[in-house]
Amino acid sequence: MNSEQSLLKKYWGYDSFRGIQLPIIKSITAGNDTLGLMPTGGGKSITFQVPALAMEGVCIVVTPLIALMKDQVYHLRRRGIRAAAIYSGLMRSEIITILENAVFGAVKILYVSPERLSSELFRAKLRHMTVSFITVDEAHCISQWGYDFRPSYLTIADIRRDLPGVPVLALTATATSAVVADIQDKLQAPHIDQAPNSPNSKGSFSVFSMSFERKNLAYHVCVASDKYARLVDLLREHQGSAIVYVRSRRRTKEVADILNKAGISATYYHAGLDNATKDLRQKQWQADETRVMVATNAFGMGIDKPDVRLVAHADCPDSIEAYFQEAGRAGRDGKPAQAVLICNGSDNAKLERRIAENFPEKDYIKEVYEHLAYYYQVGVGSGYNATFEFNIDDFCHRFHHFPIPVDASLKILNRAGYIEYTEEQENQARVMFILSRDDLYRLRNSTPDEERLITALLRNYGGLFVSFHYIDEALIASQTSLSIQQIYMLLVSLSQKRVLRFIPQKKSNYIRYMQRREDKENVQLMPEVYEQRREQFTTRIRSMQAYITDSRHCRSRMLLRYFGEESSHDCGQCDVCLAHGADTTPTPDASEAILSMLADGQRHHITELQTLPQPAADIDAALSLLLESEQIFQQDGFLQQPTHK
């Protein structure tokens, strides 16, 4: 076996790669800038984790998903792979330790958020690292043509100047041809020459893509006057783990309550919950202690649960890209699964309203900019680099605005370069002892729980008598066998007793002025910031409207066509195909016949399938499904069952 395959076998237990994993790995290990287009469940992580082990130095993985960072670091360490992650909430001393370990070669895979790339500390340490390559996960976020553009991703091109000759691997599950071209443009490095004979090469990138078709996933659009009643029926019809997506935080709890009252075990998840609550609910759902997760789009990215049987949308997403990615979290084990979008007569109008909500009139945006200056008492010509905590509810109450258009206006002003608008930056709880160490030991009237808490604080954190330190309440809770709520109440009590000072954890929005405040008449909203973005958003809304109203074309073919992939056949299992009587699903006998042929453990050439009595169409469909679900694998024209599943 070559080194890549031996690493795959050693650390993951698989005998062979699947899909386009190996070509991507070969490309990046050869030093080529590489772009991989792999749908959800396609095995993206293997394409950077394996070459990270094969190459000298540390692989920097840029991802916005803290849940993914934590999850992958945990699983990599369990496999004996040296991995670490830097994310919000870590103390500066912890970050320095991780970065120095990367400098001295004690870390093979380092996960960082895109915001971290611009910090002076990270850039200083990066210059001393031996970096094998940079992986950009969720690479569509770097494209202004993408549905989830994040300005912080643009910093990646800057750090490439500090790392001459280091290749980049960009990975995404959803990208149109325009986004694919823009990803390559935004990640270009002038010192990288075009790799000769690169497949599908555009610019200096070797581009590899696999089909976006999910043959085990049936897409349905369900029209229902009572969405909640239909959702309950769906969950009763389709057993197993499920995700239900809604658009607002309030509705996550409402829908979860409805499902629980109907006897269906459910919990809810959104970005406004504290980390401990999110982690607990995610673990309960992952372990099947809770069947249904009702969530906003804050949930799912980087969550590797293969046996989700149903993903239901009770509200329409803003784009086909978002819908395809969220729906694709069903059936990642290759077994049959359902993706159901529940809609009614009001959804078309709701989608239309989102255009105006996301792109208020220019005069309104300028008015919000002016009111922001009044709010913080920032005069014309001043304010550069000033940072303020932002309470959107208080701002709206004071100036008689509504939150949705204000939020949209601030995002547009952010893109225009006038402000930096950071949503819900999390600040960890902070603690500092007021009493001296000696006075603390002589403390009387403290409860056993307070003593356990104080002991845990002193054991885990140094310098608490000198200055404030960030603390991890979940860690303290696990060490003391107290709940996080108990930890909070004890800290409040100790603060009232003047034993310590306690600043609770909270989430805040922040506004930073990126340039001196302008008079509102001088605020420029250029076409690339406003008109072009509005047109792109409108196009996505129209595509979503077309998808939910089209009752003539196969759902799978519509989705594939959106991403530039033409399919020669209908899926035979979506609501449209079933309504038209189409049936191209393979018979169970076809799968059984193939598995029976391979049951002897020997390699069989693919031409032997022609000897099976089932129809060729059924054999082809069954073969694709078995390969996708990794029940069999193909190498050099031979088929075989894996020795390790």
Side-chain angles (χ1 to χ4, degrees), residues 375-376 389-401 403:
Y375 190 57
Y376 295 121
E389 190 172 325
F390 181 65
N391 185 322
I392 192 168
D393 293 326
D394 182 60
F395 177 83
C396 290
H397 175 74
R398 192 175 301 188
F399 295 99
H400 309 293
H401 291 302

Side-chain angles (χ1 to χ4, degrees), residues 568-589:
S568 60
H569 60 274
D570 290 345
C571 72
Q573 57 186 350
C574 70
D575 60 295
V576 175
C577 287
L578 294 176
H580 293 164
D583 186 10
T584 62
T585 54
T587 61
D589 288 343

Side-chain angles (χ1 to χ4, degrees), residues 58-61 84-86 98-99 102 107-112 129:
V58 57
C59 169
I60 306 291
V61 183
I86 298 176
I98 292 170
L99 290 173
V107 175
K108 285 300 292 181
I109 303 176
L110 176 62
Y111 291 83
V112 298
M129 291 182 198

